[in-house]
Amino acid sequence: MSPGAPAASGRDAQGGRPLRADARRNRTRILDAADAVFAVKGPTASTEEIAQRAEVAIGTVFRHFPTKEALVEAVFIGRLDALAGQARSLAGAADPGAAFFAFLTEAVRQSTIKHTFADALADAGVDLRAYEGAVAEAIRDLQQSIGELLGRAQQAARVRVDIDVRTLIALIAGAAHAIGFASQDPAIESGVLSVTFDGLRPPVSP
Amino acid sequence: MSPGAPAASGRDAQGGRPLRADARRNRTRILDAADAVFAVKGPTASTEEIAQRAEVAIGTVFRHFPTKEALVEAVFIGRLDALAGQARSLAGAADPGAAFFAFLTEAVRQSTIKHTFADALADAGVDLRAYEGAVAEAIRDLQQSIGELLGRAQQAARVRVDIDVRTLIALIAGAAHAIGFASQDPAIESGVLSVTFDGLRPPVSP
DNA sequence: AAATAAAGTGAGTCTCTACTCCGGTTCGGA
DNA sequence: TCCGAACCGGAGTAGAGACTCACTTTATTT
């Protein structure tokens, strides 16, 4: 299971009774398969392909996720959660500046590999009102955990103070997107990261 | 006709005899419609919708562009050309630094509105070998004209010297993409631009 | 082990969209 | 004005993908 893969909850979306063992297993397989396939082909990949990769019949996919949109959403939430977890694990680091830039590097690199995720991430920076329920909660959580990293780095004077979380998320998404197309070219990757990082540093006082 | 809209050539793709008057007119209408529709809905918008907007039957669309891909490509080239033209018109400016950043602002802003274009642009920064014929030529042309702007700004010590055209194009595409999602939020837009611009400036010598 | 409810299966339906085809229309030159 | 070539129209074809459902299989309970 890849690092960013979403975890199966063990209960269905309605929070009803516990799932049967085979159902829980299949739900995980589907989520993992979807995560992998979406990462490469984007959310337009067919449900059939995901079912095949999960070694499950297509009916099973639709039993767990009533629409394709629901499946995409579930994968989306899984990735947001994973990223928020990473941010949180760096929140207590001794050097706020280093923690901040380490997180950025990792976030961009992961989003680069997971093609779709850059788009998903970009959404997270924006209008929260467009979402509701679980997605909105995941976004709020991510914004909060990244906000903490950012705030600490700003207090330590390692990051300019005139940007907020949403701008930062937009920047991450943008850099990931830019690099995504340039895969196989480390020069472009390091160039984009370098420019973005330098732009985030506080201006040198005259 | 919007600024970035592709121009109709007046001749068909093969460069054969001149088109009949009605054919030339319809070709222009189709390209304009496609440009407008793709800008909003991306290249997955249906050919039918484009035909309707152009007030033309769908058969006419396929007479001019044998596949949908060919239509997308034509619009793509039109936008690359428009952008290259803008770069060229700024190439002789007195202040290379101002010209450079003015171009960036305009390029990002346009790509922001034209949703698809950010992706197209990103492609332009990358592997040229993936394209052939007219597209490759348009890409080369754009790289060349942007390269000139960049080179002059670097010589004037207004832009750091350790980035090349392809990295720059990736940055433009990334910024446009980031901002695209955050439309309606000028704070994010100016923040992203500010960070990117500052990151592009040469480091202050110690 | 039998009963029962839950889950899995996959062929089939429905919708959407790229693309075709040929009869009717329009253009432009003689 | 007249004719042939070029062009246009839009119903129709083919294929892909989301989603359904009647039936079979499996997990869990008693």
Side-chain angles (χ1 to χ4, degrees):
Chain A
M1 180 163 157
S2 56
S9 71
R11 291 171 181 272
D12 65 18
Q14 271 49 269
R17 60 214 299 166
L19 292 176
R20 236 170 63 174
D22 53 349
R24 195 165 51 241
R25 174 169 38 83
N26 278 339
R27 189 177 204 279
T28 305
R29 296 173 66 88
I30 292 166
L31 242 13
D32 286 351
D35 190 77
V37 172
F38 287 159
V40 175
K41 301 200 174 181
T44 58
S46 74
T47 314
E48 180 60 45
E49 181 176 351
I50 290 163
Q52 277 181 16
R53 178 153 187 152
E55 291 177 300
V56 140
I58 190 152
T60 304
V61 176
F62 282 99
R63 170 176 292 279
H64 286 279
F65 305 95
T67 64
K68 190 188 176 183
E69 194 188 342
L71 175 58
V72 172
E73 198 173 287
V75 172
F76 179 20
I77 290 177
R79 292 188 183 169
L80 292 180
D81 284 350
L83 201 60
Q86 283 184 23
R88 233 180 287 286
S89 77
L90 283 167
D95 182 341
F100 177 82
F101 287 108
F103 172 77
L104 281 203
T105 305
E106 189 50 34
V108 170
R109 194 151 290 157
Q110 253 185 47
S111 308
T112 297
I113 298 169
K114 314 221 158 190
H115 217 232
T116 324
F117 193 35
D119 293 347
L121 230 195
D123 269 3
V126 194
D127 195 351
L128 198 124
R129 284 165 301 179
Y131 292 100
E132 43 186 53
V135 181
E137 195 178 339
I139 290 178
R140 256 190 299 268
D141 187 51
L142 178 64
Q143 288 186 347
Q144 205 259 317
S145 60
I146 292 185
E148 191 132 343
L149 268 184
L150 173 63
R152 291 165 62 89
Q154 285 173 327
Q155 277 181 7
R158 301 291 295 273
V159 169
R160 56 198 278 181
V161 296
D162 64 340
I163 67 160
D164 62 358
V165 203
R166 298 167 67 224
T167 304
L168 177 61
I169 292 181
L171 278 165
I172 296 175
H177 193 83
I179 291 176
F181 282 95
S183 59
Q184 314 297 355
D185 194 329
I188 292 185
E189 174 169 337
S190 72
V192 169
L193 281 181
S194 171
V195 168
T196 306
F197 287 3
D198 287 355
L200 281 168
R201 297 209 172 82
V204 283
S205 50
Chain B
M1 180 162 160
S2 57
S9 71
R11 291 170 181 273
D12 63 19
Q14 271 48 270
R17 61 212 301 165
L19 292 176
R20 232 170 66 174
D22 50 352
R24 193 166 53 241
R25 175 169 38 83
N26 279 337
R27 194 184 144 87
T28 305
R29 295 174 68 87
I30 292 165
L31 277 176
D32 286 351
D35 191 77
V37 172
F38 287 159
V40 175
K41 300 201 175 179
T44 58
S46 73
T47 314
E48 180 61 42
E49 182 176 350
I50 290 163
Q52 276 182 18
R53 179 153 186 150
E55 291 177 298
V56 141
I58 189 148
T60 304
V61 175
F62 282 99
R63 166 173 293 277
H64 287 280
F65 305 95
T67 65
K68 189 188 177 183
E69 195 187 342
L71 175 57
V72 173
E73 199 174 285
V75 172
F76 180 20
I77 291 178
R79 292 187 183 170
L80 292 180
D81 283 351
L83 202 60
Q86 283 184 24
R88 232 181 288 286
S89 76
L90 283 167
D95 182 341
F100 177 82
F101 287 107
F103 172 77
L104 281 203
T105 305
E106 188 51 34
V108 169
R109 195 149 290 160
Q110 252 184 47
S111 309
T112 296
I113 298 169
K114 315 223 157 186
H115 219 229
T116 324
F117 192 35
D119 293 347
L121 229 195
D123 269 3
V126 195
D127 196 350
L128 198 125
R129 286 166 299 182
Y131 292 100
E132 43 186 54
V135 181
E137 195 179 341
I139 290 178
R140 255 191 299 267
D141 187 50
L142 178 65
Q143 287 186 347
Q144 205 259 319
S145 59
I146 292 186
E148 191 132 342
L149 268 184
L150 173 63
R152 292 164 60 90
Q154 285 173 326
Q155 277 182 6
R158 301 291 295 274
V159 170
R160 55 198 278 180
V161 295
D162 64 340
I163 67 161
D164 61 358
V165 202
R166 297 168 67 224
T167 303
L168 178 62
I169 292 181
L171 279 166
I172 296 175
H177 192 83
I179 291 176
F181 282 95
S183 58
Q184 313 299 355
D185 194 330
I188 292 185
E189 175 169 335
S190 72
V192 168
L193 281 181
S194 170
V195 168
T196 306
F197 287 3
D198 287 354
L200 280 168
R201 298 210 171 81
V204 282
S205 49

